Amino acid sequence: MGRLVMKFGGTSVANIERIRNVARHVKREVDAGHDVAVVVSAMSGKTNELVDWCRDASPLHDAREYDAVVASGEQVTSGLLAIVLQGMGIQARSWQGWQIPIVTSDAHASARILEIDGSEIMNRFADRKEVAVIAGFQGINPQTNRITTLGRGGSDTSAVAIAAAIRADRCDIYTDVDGVYTTDPRVVPKAKRLDKIAFEDMLELASLGAKVLQVRSVELGMVHNMPVFVRSSFDKPEDIDPHGTPPGTLICSEEEIMESHVVTGIAFSKDEAQISLRQIQDKPGVAAAIFGPLADANINVDMIVQNVSEDGKATDLTFTVPASDYNRARDTITSSKDKIGYARLDSATDVSKVSVIGSGMRSHAGVAAKAFKALAERNINIRAITTSEIKFSVLIDAAYTELAVRTLHTLYGLDQA
Ligand code: ASP
Ligand code: MG
């Protein structure tokens, strides 16, 4: 007997029929003797609709009211699932963030979980085996007494945080894919599902473009050493042996992974924009003059490359920002043009970032060099590069994204993984 968190995303609770399917998954684990807390998302498309309503009501809406509106999607599904479970003879009740409470910061629309009191949920496991059906994505800030939300995709984070708070053995994330793949299978049909992946590698994959899990949820899993299992909600509940190992990917600590490849996966993101400043004076303080105002504007700069200008006297500086911040970034730079002192600003939005990830890189040299050669052989021009201990990224023309991902997937032996 154990204790489980089961999290179901929007497509898994898209209608009453699917909510019934979710309830049968829950029943299977309850019948196997486990204590179960379920975390649900809003029905698929619901949160988008709610967000659109807020924008329609006023483009400059109050973020606190935005949270009051968008948190409602999860309230609906938590209640519905509790009703269906009760109808199946399973003790269950719904919990909103404020009822537990899930205490968060007051950063509305992107609040951080600070504390969760799991004691009442655990008492009810002990007293009457009651299933807790918890609305994901939301919490409360006790100082202001207002409902908060955790940012898009935040129910993953709710689930992992609750798992830690109730000391669960594992957090199962049921979703519309059956695990984490070496890369997006829609781009590389030979992509393989990983049986296990280390928190660190998953954190990079998620940060660099893989959309399986909210980044923050992986961070929390790592901090609490909470194993997270990504699995499909579309498998028939009755076909699954609750004591066997179903298909899926276990995200766990590195020590639990026996065979490890140098490269774990390839991620990519087309939401990048490149800005290049030509012929900047090569003197101290210039980088500060450029990146200071961007930081003040809350714009995340990712890749940075500096090289000698064509004229050989000055320097060129290239950096990337999220595509959604591109216009703001350009305006910010242009308005400090006199302070920075550059001749020309070039930019490109049709670029993408392809990243190769693997904690095995720590102990292997030349992993990135191999990629540069392979990309050159395909005539793919690299605009910028960044590296860290366990990953490197290249910025390329967006048109070559798929070719680059496929080339690297084969290069690092992931086709046969
Ligand atoms: N419903 C929220 C969203 O769509 C939270 C989630 O599903 O994780 O972003
Ligand atoms: Mg999600």
Side-chain angles (χ1 to χ4, degrees), residues 305-323:
V305 185
Q306 184 173 351
N307 47 262
V308 178
S309 300
E310 264 166 284
D311 66 5
K313 291 188 206 119
T315 177
D316 285 357
L317 199 120
T318 292
F319 58 89
T320 63
V321 295

Side-chain angles (χ1 to χ4, degrees), residues 40 42 47 50-51 54 61-75 96-98 102-114 135-141 144-158 214 216:
V40 287
T47 310
L50 296 168
V51 169
C54 291
H61 48 256
D62 180 343
R64 293 163 298 189
E65 302 306 347
Y66 165 96
D67 276 352
V69 174
V70 299
S72 66
E74 275 72 11
Q75 175 159 346
Q96 306 311 302
W98 60 269
I102 297 176
V103 172
T104 75
S105 69
D106 66 355
H108 286 277
S110 58
R112 287 197 151 226
I113 297 177
L114 302 175
F137 186 46
Q138 48 162 283
I140 186 168
N141 177 262
T144 58
N145 202 27
R146 305 232 31 185
I147 292 172
T148 55
T149 64
L150 309 178
R152 299 305 305 271
S155 328
D156 295 332
T157 300
S158 309
Q214 200 194 35
R216 183 83 189 109

